[in-house]
Amino acid sequence: VQVVESGGGSVQAGGSLRLSCSASGLTLGTYCKAWFRQVAGKNREAVASLDHDGSATLADSVKGRFSISQDNTKNNLFLQMDSLKPEDSGTYYCVMFPWVGYCHSPGHWGQGTQVTVSS
């Protein structure tokens, strides 16, 4: 299994970025999918997730601004980030958790992509 993120970069506050995650060696429909964010000195936090059945969950801090989606035909996961704020800066990780009746940790993590939002 390989998970690779792309789409990070630098943007001014209020701008948008779209992160992409390409997963190989698995079938998206049998995995729970998530985007985590890590800021230096803080724990990783889940920003958005999609259960194996497609139901989405967003962290309160990004509701109304971020959305998560997937393309099953290409095994891609996306994170659309709008109205970005400086506190959204961090390294974003795409994670695939096998569905075995629950989302099984630790899952498969990508290498991360950096997002920097300037004020």
Side-chain angles (χ1 to χ4, degrees):
V1 175
Q2 189 175 20
V3 177
V4 180
E5 304 96 337
S6 61
S10 297
V11 64
Q12 288 191 328
S16 298
L17 283 173
R18 188 185 194 219
L19 304 184
S20 298
C21 173
S22 177
S24 59
L26 56 80
T27 302
L28 280 189
T30 61
Y31 279 74
C32 307
K33 287 85 48 178
W35 288 96
F36 278 70
R37 173 172 68 197
Q38 182 162 29
V39 179
K42 296 185 178 180
N43 292 331
R44 287 177 182 175
E45 61 170 338
V47 173
S49 64
L50 273 178
D51 279 344
H52 71 293
D53 61 0
S55 57
T57 301
L58 295 169
D60 287 342
S61 60
V62 305
K63 282 180 181 176
R65 301 187 298 118
F66 290 15
S67 62
I68 185 171
S69 62
Q70 65 184 39
D71 179 348
N72 286 341
T73 62
K74 297 182 179 179
N75 261 15
N76 288 341
L77 182 71
F78 305 100
L79 183 68
Q80 178 66 42
M81 306 186 294
D82 298 320
S83 301
L84 282 161
K85 303 176 180 179
E87 52 264 41
D88 294 319
S89 297
T91 302
Y92 284 71
Y93 296 90
C94 174
V95 193
M96 301 288 172
F97 299 98
W99 173 254
V100 292
Y102 58 91
C103 301
H104 186 266
S105 292
H108 306 284
W109 291 69
Q111 81 289 349
T113 186
Q114 181 67 35
V115 171
T116 303
V117 184
S118 57
S119 58

